[in-house]
Amino acid sequence: AVRPYVARSRAYRSYVITPTRIGNAPAVSYTVRTVAIDELLATGQELFAANWDESGTKERFRLLDELYRQWAAAGVLCAVGAWHGDELVGYAVAPLVPHAHTGKVVAMVDTIYVSMPHRGDLHIEVMRVLGEEAAQRGACELLYAAKPGSAMDHIMRRRGCELREHLYVQELV
């Protein structure tokens, strides 16, 4: 059965991951939780820029903060942050979109990023919490985009996610 699309505001939940081992480094504690977009925008500018730099995208970085705020105000934005102590080290953002042909609500992952020194299990936990939040808000699927051969591509394959389509980009301007 298809769940109807309903914009909802949610109470924010927090998960503590203790301990997490990344590579050969000692175990580290993280907090991964749903987050209000204004908190993420206020604390995440350095991470957003690092994500953009690492993506290899040739356009100049320009985050459309107001669009995220509009989605949040409409109740159709899932946002997750990951902290090591007081430091934001990862995040994910996904708007909920009703599919025009099926009526299914899907969460289209707009961005997901964990800073280099904190990757590993933390990336998977951010994805898990984002999925839980999206499901609580009525989404039946998470849609990710990943460049072929990228770390994200490998993560998605290891997690058993289904590759349904290839995404092609045709530049118009």
Side-chain angles (χ1 to χ4, degrees):
V2 174
R3 290 185 244 177
Y5 174 72
V6 179
R8 303 179 181 111
S9 30
R10 304 269 324 143
Y12 298 107
R13 293 183 307 282
S14 182
Y15 304 85
V16 177
I17 311 165
T18 310
T20 297
R21 183 171 302 284
I22 299 175
N24 294 327
V28 178
S29 296
Y30 294 99
T31 300
V32 180
R33 63 178 171 86
T34 54
V35 61
I37 195 61
D38 284 329
E39 180 184 359
L40 191 60
L41 291 171
T43 59
Q45 294 301 320
E46 271 186 44
L47 275 186
F48 303 153
N51 183 2
W52 192 265
D53 291 345
E54 202 174 302
S55 75
T57 304
K58 57 187 168 188
E59 293 91 18
R60 188 175 63 80
F61 173 73
R62 189 184 72 138
L63 184 67
L64 300 176
D65 297 23
E66 193 51 41
L67 183 57
Y68 278 160
R69 286 187 180 98
Q70 289 172 6
W71 286 340
V76 297
L77 186 69
C78 297
V80 171
W83 283 264
H84 176 241
D86 291 335
E87 178 188 9
L88 181 69
V89 296
Y91 66 95
V93 178
L96 302 175
V97 180
H99 192 283
H101 297 262
T102 65
K104 291 181 179 179
V105 176
V106 297
M108 298 179 65
V109 178
D110 182 57
T111 187
I112 183 168
Y113 183 75
V114 174
S115 63
M116 188 70 75
H118 302 279
R119 292 186 182 158
D121 293 342
L122 183 58
H123 210 129
I124 301 302
E125 188 63 13
V126 169
M127 295 167 76
R128 186 188 68 74
V129 173
L130 183 66
E132 281 186 6
E133 180 65 12
Q136 287 290 321
R137 290 174 175 251
C140 62
E141 295 176 327
L142 273 173
L143 305 179
Y144 292 91
K147 292 179 182 175
S150 69
M152 189 65 172
D153 185 38
H154 294 295
I155 288 170
M156 301 316 294
R157 291 174 191 274
R158 280 195 315 269
R159 292 192 71 213
C161 294
E162 178 185 357
L163 176 62
R164 291 189 187 165
E165 298 180 17
H166 293 279
L167 179 67
Y168 297 94
V169 177
Q170 177 184 0
E171 293 187 18
L172 300 175
V173 182

